[in-house]
């Protein structure tokens, strides 16, 4: 709707009743992303979701991860939306059993990380990854995970590392790591970031500090 159309409809948008402007804002959201109803409650993350890429909370200049767990939002993540009285999106939190950040996840026994770790150790021993990739699985306490206040992220997909994902540590020299930086290599989760990034197992420039690597 143009400014002239708004004036003909009864004045500028700022003079509209709160319920009218709120309904208009929610309608815009439905138009941008038909998967989202523009109302408080659960929603699935799609490529059109505002919170997937550059969305920022009101008053913030930073890309907004989940304020509870600190993880980025990924495609297909179920989230919980909250809107202001004016209908604007004001908060997005994860709404998953393993990331119950919304506080609205149906009651269920939380997953036991120790039992999950034992399961993945069994998976890895039964079906190990190719030695040439030198992948490691992120177990509880892994430094690559970071903390809730400061999550570490993959430099290819820019998403934070989550528990039990597989990564390549020190992508410049995975056979003899010289740092604790990591990049995703987890095709089962659609995260083949390491193979996407490198054309061969060695590279000439470190992607972390951009220094030229010494080669013998």
């Amino acid at each position: 709707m143009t400014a002239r159309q708004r004036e003909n409809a009864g004045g500028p948008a700022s003079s509209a009743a709160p319920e009218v402007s709120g309904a208009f804002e929610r309608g815009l959201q439905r138009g941008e992303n038909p998967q989202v109803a523009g109302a408080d409650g659960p929603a699935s993350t799609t490529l059109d979701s505002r919170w997937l890429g550059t969305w920022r909370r009101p008053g913030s200049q930073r890309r907004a991860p989940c304020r509870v767990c600190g993880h980025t939002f990924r495609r297909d993540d179920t989230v919980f939306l909250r809107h202001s009285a004016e209908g604007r999106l004001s908060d997005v939190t994860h709404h998953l059993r393993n990331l119950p950040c919304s506080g609205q996840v149906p009651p269920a026994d939380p997953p036991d990380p120790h039992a999950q770790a034992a399961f993945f150790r069994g998976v890895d021993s039964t079906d190990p990854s190719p030695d040439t990739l030198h992948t490691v699985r992120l177990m509880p306490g892994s430094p690559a995970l970071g903390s809730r206040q400061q999550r570490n992220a993959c430099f290819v997909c820019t998403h934070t590392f989550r528990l039990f994902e597989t990564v390549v540590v020190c992508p410049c020299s995975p056979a003899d790591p010289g740092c604790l930086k990591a990049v995703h290599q987890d095709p089962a989760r659609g995260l083949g970031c390491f193979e996407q990034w490198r054309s061969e197992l060695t590279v000439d420039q470190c992607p972390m500090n951009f220094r030229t690597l010494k080669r013998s």
Side-chain angles (χ1 to χ4, degrees):
M1 181 181 290
T2 66
R4 182 177 296 277
Q5 288 173 323
R6 285 196 296 268
E7 290 173 3
N8 293 337
S14 59
S15 65
E19 60 271 17
V20 174
S21 58
F24 180 75
E25 175 64 28
R26 293 172 193 266
L28 284 178
Q29 294 178 51
R30 284 195 294 272
E32 292 175 358
N33 185 357
Q35 299 282 347
V36 177
D40 292 357
S44 179
T45 303
T46 72
L47 290 176
D48 296 317
S49 299
R50 293 185 178 186
W51 55 91
L52 182 63
T54 58
W55 179 73
R56 292 166 173 78
R57 293 190 187 87
S60 175
Q61 298 300 315
R62 300 180 60 188
R63 175 182 174 183
C66 177
R67 62 176 173 78
V68 178
C69 67
H71 282 298
T72 54
F73 299 107
R74 300 183 186 178
R75 186 179 178 183
D76 296 329
D77 277 353
T78 301
V79 298
F80 196 92
L81 308 181
R82 292 177 174 85
H83 296 76
S84 67
E86 295 77 25
R88 297 186 181 278
L89 185 63
S90 61
D91 193 29
V92 185
T93 50
H94 283 107
H95 189 67
L96 302 163
R97 183 169 179 266
N98 60 328
L99 294 174
C101 308
S102 66
Q104 304 294 325
V105 176
D109 293 333
D112 181 355
H114 299 291
Q116 288 180 300
F119 169 78
F120 282 112
R121 280 193 293 267
V123 170
D124 293 338
S125 63
T126 303
D127 184 24
S129 61
D131 291 339
T132 54
L133 293 181
H134 303 282
T135 57
V136 297
R137 193 175 295 278
L138 298 176
M139 294 295 192
S142 171
L145 290 168
S147 63
R148 185 179 66 82
Q149 294 78 18
Q150 187 64 49
R151 296 288 185 191
N152 293 328
C154 173
F155 69 87
V156 175
C157 69
T158 71
H159 284 301
T160 54
F161 298 118
R162 297 186 185 181
L163 199 60
F164 304 123
E165 292 179 337
T166 55
V167 302
V168 173
V169 177
C170 188
C172 296
S173 182
D176 184 22
C179 71
L180 294 178
K181 298 296 183 181
V183 59
H184 283 117
Q185 182 53 32
D186 199 335
R189 292 181 170 86
L191 298 167
C193 302
F194 178 61
E195 289 193 317
Q196 174 187 339
W197 167 69
R198 55 98 170 159
S199 58
E200 54 186 19
L201 286 176
T202 57
V203 294
D204 295 326
Q205 189 179 60
C206 175
M208 305 303 172
N209 58 28
F210 303 106
R211 293 178 181 174
T212 301
L213 303 176
K214 293 181 180 180
R215 299 297 181 194
S216 58

